[in-house]
Amino acid sequence: MLFQEINELITYDDRQRMIPTDRDRLAALVTSARTENPTDYTTLRALGVGLLVLGEHAAAIDHLTRALAQADTARRRIAASLNLADAHRYAGDATTAEALCRATLTLSREEAPEMTCFSLQHLGKALTDLDRMQEAREALQEALALRTAKGDPNLIASTQAALELLTHRPQQIR
């Protein structure tokens, strides 16, 4: 429930980064949930994402690291790792983000193939932040092919937007 509430308060800016649609409401949700001192995967991950979107990167990294430690399936490990990669990337540490994305890519290909497109998408963004544009393009194009095969218009649009930024305004992704 908390994750859904937080997710409903998130949109993307012109750089394809998560931002709050209602900062005050998101901050209130996060503050309320933090007072309960959660230890379960779902709440820790939701709080980590909320903190990330609010720009509290160190706290987001802490919560997402704790969520990752609680992850009991490959899908959960991938999801928490990709959120953790975003927290590092948004904090300016694209090198750590790349390492996390590469680890999730290996895990998704081996244990959760349906998650591979997400790992590739996040890897492409991390590589863009590292100014490795050709590698970023290759990762995003592979993600687009997988997402096109899935037929999910929202996922397709997300990858097309990342490729568009890479092609026309690479400085905007940072």
Side-chain angles (χ1 to χ4, degrees), residues 4 12 28 31-33 71 82 84-85 87 92 94 100 111 132 138-139 150 157:
Q4 182 179 339
Y12 292 85
T31 299
S32 175
L82 292 176
L84 183 57
L100 286 163
E111 295 186 37
R132 291 165 45 198
E138 290 168 4
K150 280 185 179 187

Side-chain angles (χ1 to χ4, degrees), residues 6-160:
I6 287 174
N7 203 37
E8 289 172 359
L9 296 172
I10 297 172
T11 191
Y12 292 85
D13 66 11
D14 61 347
R15 300 176 311 155
Q16 293 297 298
R17 288 193 179 219
M18 294 182 287
I19 59 169
T21 58
D22 184 336
R23 177 174 279 288
D24 292 339
R25 189 165 162 225
L26 180 59
L29 271 173
V30 167
T31 299
S32 175
R34 283 175 92 177
T35 61
E36 298 172 16
N37 198 23
T39 58
D40 65 288
Y41 167 84
T42 303
T43 306
L44 288 168
R45 181 170 170 239
L47 279 172
V49 171
L51 290 161
L52 168 61
V53 174
L54 290 170
E56 297 182 36
H57 301 130
I61 289 168
D62 175 62
H63 281 76
L64 291 166
T65 299
R66 290 169 46 208
L68 182 57
Q70 297 296 321
D72 56 356
T73 67
R75 285 182 61 91
R76 283 183 166 200
R77 285 192 302 276
I78 292 164
S81 291
L82 292 176
N83 293 144
L84 183 57
D86 276 348
H88 281 285
R89 189 168 64 86
Y90 287 25
D93 184 3
T95 301
T96 298
E98 178 195 6
L100 286 163
C101 291
R102 289 197 183 279
T104 65
L105 182 57
T106 299
L107 181 60
S108 64
R109 286 188 170 155
E110 291 174 358
E111 295 186 37
E114 70 281 5
M115 299 292 286
T116 301
C117 67
F118 295 99
S119 298
L120 287 163
Q121 176 90 358
H122 286 260
L123 177 60
K125 290 181 178 185
L127 290 167
T128 299
D129 282 4
L130 291 167
D131 291 321
R132 291 165 45 198
M133 301 306 183
Q134 184 56 38
E135 290 174 83
R137 182 173 286 104
E138 290 168 4
L140 290 169
Q141 287 172 335
E142 186 177 349
L144 181 60
L146 291 171
R147 288 175 168 194
T148 299
K150 280 185 179 187
D152 185 320
N154 292 325
L155 294 179
I156 293 166
S158 174
T159 304
Q160 288 173 330

